[in-house]
Amino acid sequence: MDYATLSQLRRLHPAWRLLLADHAPLIIHFLNAAFIQPNERTIAEAPLRSQLEDVLFQLRESHGDDAFPRSAGDYLNDWADNSKGWLRKFYPSGSDEAHFDLTPATEKAISWLESLTQRQFVGTESRLRTVFDLLQQMLAGTETNKQTRLDDLHRRKAEIEREIARVETGDIAIMDATAQRERFQQLDGTARALLADFRQVEQNFRQLDREAREKITAWEGSKGQLLEQIFGERDAISDTDQGRTFRAFWDFLMSPSRQQDLSAGLEKVFELDAVQSLKPDARFKRLHFDWLDAGEQTQRTVARLSRQLRRFLDDQTQLENKRIMQLIQSLETRALALREAPPDTALMTLESPQAEVHLAMERPLFSPPLKPVVESAVEAGDEADVDTQALFDQAVVDRQRLQRHIHETLSHRPQATLADVIERHPLQMGLAELVTYLSLVGDMPHASVDDSRQESVRWVDDTGLHRLARIQRMILTR
């Protein structure tokens, strides 16, 4: 956070511009009441303008008509202008009425201002416990020593058994009212922060959608190159920490049993006297449904990107078909012109068609198969000593290690050949390892074989000799 960075943020970041705005109290008060408190994702222009007119009427009654001279529609359009960036104005598909939504920068500014308000008390115990719990989860999740993990599990098992013994004897520890209020405040803050995260993820995908539309509009190359760029950018967002945690969060939330547990738990928490003393918002009990609505909005943004790509492919196919029809029509026109004045030389030559004749007597006669002779008597061998060490010197190829080599190679490129994988990870066990690679490629659903080309695979055997094998070109796709 140096001086130059802060100066640029003050000039360009919408959240900082909002705090410096002349009517910042009006803007923040209205946007918080219209979007954040009721958790509205998008609002049509007419009802939003009506809400703002009511707010402006009340303020003009107390501060005079000159305090806010502009109309509600002018204020909304000004807040959605690119120079402000506090609202996003757009037209949903199938609707000719403008809609508005908060930007993540505006939500961050409002959240920061809410943190400045005086709270009844500042809880520290629950956050300290959260820090210790997260630390223990990281240490336990990254520990590779088997004995250390077993010792930790036995320790936790002993603690649970002692807790069970205390409960059986009637010694039940009850959380006091202060701890209940403190944890409820932390629960409320964390749950509402998740909604802001949804807006940020949605904005990332919306930005990708906008860039894809711009590329499609101005693209002059092949379809494959365009799709490779667009899908590469989408994978880049999905593979970020934010994208991976969003997918894990969505999979966790979509479980019906977890939704029922969350609803039942919130109902019980709201019945606590300590929580009732905080006068919580009753809408907090259905906050997980707000999460679902926000997640569906994000998924719809991704679906719009897919529809845009499909429309592009349809348009390109139509243009190619039109080009083919133009070529055919051009050939027909030239043929009609040559019909009246054919050239002296031949236009083209065709081989004379002829039928292939196969006579019945040309077929070879039937030859009965030779009957094998099986000797039922087995001669006994000599009792010379046989070295059995060869039975134990068997080479076992680790299939999982080879699978990791394939996945690691495909993680750096969308497509690779089996020769590329072996070049990146040379063979250690010679022909046996190569055969195992061929077996793995045969089981892969997205693998293909190019019979027209061959590739060379080299390795050094145990005796130091250089070996060479030629295989068909096998293409692996991520």
Side-chain angles (χ1 to χ4, degrees):
M1 299 296 288
D2 54 9
Y3 177 82
T5 302
L6 293 174
S7 299
Q8 186 177 9
L9 287 176
R10 184 179 184 273
R11 187 176 65 258
L12 301 178
H13 201 281
W16 203 319
R17 288 200 299 260
L18 175 59
L19 298 176
L20 296 176
D22 295 335
H23 300 313
L26 165 65
I27 302 171
I28 295 173
H29 161 69
F30 174 72
L31 297 182
N32 181 62
F35 287 94
I36 295 181
Q37 289 184 358
N39 188 33
E40 293 289 344
R41 306 300 297 182
T42 59
I43 304 178
E45 183 177 11
L48 187 63
R49 186 172 62 247
S50 177
Q51 294 182 40
L52 182 56
E53 288 175 351
D54 295 338
V55 174
L56 292 175
F57 177 79
Q58 297 176 4
L59 293 176
R60 288 164 182 165
E61 287 290 325
S62 58
H63 295 82
D65 294 340
D66 297 335
F68 305 100
R70 303 171 65 181
S71 64
D74 291 340
Y75 279 121
L76 290 177
N77 291 327
D78 181 58
W79 299 345
D81 189 78
N82 291 332
S83 61
K84 303 296 191 302
W86 304 326
L87 284 176
R88 182 175 69 94
K89 183 178 180 180
F90 65 101
Y91 290 86
S93 59
S95 175
D96 56 355
E97 183 180 10
H99 284 60
F100 291 88
D101 187 14
L102 276 185
T103 61
T106 304
E107 191 165 8
K108 288 180 181 178
I110 296 176
S111 176
W112 180 74
L113 289 175
E114 287 180 347
S115 66
L116 299 181
T117 58
Q118 184 67 30
R119 292 183 292 178
Q120 296 179 358
F121 69 95
V122 178
T124 56
E125 180 206 358
S126 61
R127 287 183 290 176
L128 180 61
R129 288 180 177 272
T130 302
V131 170
F132 274 94
D133 290 342
L134 293 176
L135 179 61
Q136 292 300 322
Q137 290 177 16
M138 293 179 62
L139 293 177
T142 57
E143 180 59 56
T144 58
N145 187 276
K146 175 181 177 181
Q147 187 59 41
T148 303
R149 284 210 169 191
L150 289 175
D151 294 341
D152 182 64
L153 292 174
H154 287 306
R155 179 183 59 79
R156 284 187 283 172
K157 178 182 177 181
E159 292 178 356
I160 295 174
E161 291 176 348
R162 288 194 297 269
E163 181 70 17
I164 293 175
R166 287 196 300 268
V167 173
E168 289 177 347
T169 58
D171 183 11
I172 302 177
I174 302 298
M175 184 180 298
D176 58 14
T178 302
Q180 295 177 23
R181 288 192 292 269
E182 179 184 353
R183 282 159 177 78
F184 182 79
Q185 283 189 348
Q186 187 178 6
L187 172 65
D188 179 77
T190 304
R192 295 186 185 279
L194 285 174
L195 293 175
D197 294 338
F198 274 109
R199 271 198 173 93
Q200 186 64 51
V201 175
E202 182 183 352
Q203 185 188 28
N204 289 345
F205 281 109
R206 194 184 303 115
Q207 179 66 25
L208 174 62
D209 179 59
R210 185 181 300 111
E211 294 174 358
R213 293 170 188 268
E214 294 175 356
K215 287 183 178 180
I216 289 174
T217 302
W219 189 257
E220 297 180 355
S222 64
K223 292 185 293 184
Q225 295 175 350
L226 175 61
L227 294 178
E228 181 179 0
Q229 288 191 13
I230 293 177
F231 284 119
E233 293 175 0
R234 178 176 176 180
D235 292 339
I237 290 182
S238 301
D239 293 339
T240 59
D241 292 339
Q242 184 174 220
R244 285 192 292 267
T245 55
F246 173 75
R247 290 197 305 270
F249 170 82
W250 185 250
D251 295 339
F252 186 85
L253 185 62
M254 288 302 293
S255 173
S257 60
R258 293 191 178 99
Q259 294 182 22
Q260 295 176 1
D261 295 342
L262 189 56
S263 299
L266 290 174
E267 289 290 344
K268 291 181 180 180
V269 166
F270 266 73
E271 294 175 358
L272 299 176
D273 295 335
V275 175
Q276 290 294 331
S277 64
L278 296 175
K279 297 180 181 180
D281 190 352
R283 288 174 298 190
F284 181 72
K285 290 190 292 186
R286 62 178 306 275
L287 189 64
H288 50 296
F289 296 108
D290 296 336
W291 291 341
L292 291 174
D293 294 339
E296 291 176 359
Q297 182 72 18
T298 304
Q299 299 290 355
R300 284 194 292 269
T301 302
V302 180
R304 284 199 300 270
L305 175 60
S306 301
R307 287 197 299 269
Q308 182 71 12
L309 294 177
R310 184 171 62 250
R311 190 180 301 114
F312 164 74
L313 294 177
D314 294 340
D315 294 342
Q316 290 292 105
T317 303
Q318 183 177 2
L319 291 175
E320 292 175 357
N321 293 337
K322 183 178 179 180
R323 175 61 177 165
I324 293 174
M325 294 303 299
Q326 289 176 351
L327 293 175
I328 295 176
Q329 185 178 6
S330 175
L331 292 175
E332 292 176 347
T333 303
R334 296 184 63 182
L336 291 176
L338 292 174
R339 183 181 63 179
E340 302 297 336
D344 297 335
T345 59
L347 294 177
M348 63 179 66
T349 58
L350 294 177
E351 295 183 1
S352 177
Q354 59 182 359
E356 296 183 0
V357 180
H358 297 282
L359 300 178
M361 299 303 296
E362 293 179 353
R363 299 178 182 178
L365 299 177
F366 172 74
S367 298
L370 297 176
K371 185 177 180 181
V373 178
V374 179
E375 295 289 345
S376 59
V378 179
E379 298 181 359
D382 56 1
E383 298 181 357
D385 294 335
V386 179
D387 186 9
T388 60
Q389 184 63 30
L391 299 175
F392 301 96
D393 295 339
Q394 300 294 325
V396 179
V397 180
D398 188 357
R399 294 173 61 92
Q400 295 182 354
R401 178 174 62 85
L402 303 187
Q403 287 178 342
R404 288 196 299 269
H405 291 171
I406 295 176
H407 294 162
E408 191 272 338
T409 304
L410 292 178
S411 64
H412 296 82
R413 61 184 73 175
Q415 192 178 80
T417 63
L418 180 57
D420 295 335
V421 177
I422 297 176
E423 182 180 0
R424 191 179 183 91
H425 303 280
L427 298 178
Q428 300 178 4
M429 305 181 69
L431 186 60
E433 190 169 336
L434 177 60
V435 173
T436 307
Y437 267 123
L438 297 177
S439 175
L440 291 174
V441 173
D443 296 337
M444 294 180 64
H446 301 294
S448 60
V449 180
D450 186 2
D451 295 331
S452 62
R453 297 182 59 183
Q454 289 187 346
E455 293 182 329
S456 300
V457 177
R458 303 175 185 274
W459 72 91
V460 180
D461 61 8
D462 297 338
T463 61
L465 294 178
H466 292 268
R467 300 293 184 178
L468 172 66
R470 296 188 180 274
I471 59 175
Q472 300 296 332
R473 190 168 187 258
M474 299 185 178
I475 302 174
L476 313 177
T477 306
R478 183 166 56 190

